[in-house]
């Protein structure tokens, strides 16, 4: 079953956040704490089971030490890498 566009964005966002967190060498639990999010909720974001609010997106970007804009730029790059041209 194909994902609708909104589900695809949520999926791309979760994959991007996970990749950026791993690149920083931070565990999911430590990162969630750093972002001020519940670990299980944060895990749901990475698995695309939760659609985070703008407040939580800002907290994630802050914990990653990047702007919200850069976080979405990285998400767009992630999306373009996995889709055939």
């Amino acid at each position: 079953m194909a994902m609708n566009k909104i589900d695809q964005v949520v999926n791309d966002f979760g994959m991007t956040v996970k990749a950026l967190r791993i690149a920083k060498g931070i565990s999911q639990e430590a990162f969630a704490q750093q972002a001020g999010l519940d670990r299980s909720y944060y895990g749901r974001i990475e698995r695309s089971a939760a659609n985070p609010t703008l407040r939580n997106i800002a907290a994630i970007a802050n914990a990653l030490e990047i702007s919200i804009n850069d976080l979405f730029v990285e998400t767009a790059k992630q999306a373009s890498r996995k889709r055939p041209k």
Side-chain angles (χ1 to χ4, degrees), residues 25-45:
I26 305 170
S27 72
Q28 196 176 66
E29 185 172 358
F31 186 82
Q33 184 176 13
Q34 190 174 351
L37 301 172
D38 179 76
R39 195 224 33 92
S40 63
Y41 172 69
Y42 176 74
R44 290 179 53 229
I45 292 170

Side-chain angles (χ1 to χ4, degrees), residues 12 18 20 26 29 36 38 42 64 85:
D12 293 340
K18 181 177 182 176
L20 293 171
I26 305 170
E29 185 172 358
D38 179 76
Y42 176 74
L64 289 169
K85 298 205 185 304

Side-chain angles (χ1 to χ4, degrees), residues 50-64:
N51 183 2
T53 64
L54 186 54
R55 181 179 306 266
N56 290 334
I57 291 169
I60 290 167
N62 187 54
L64 289 169

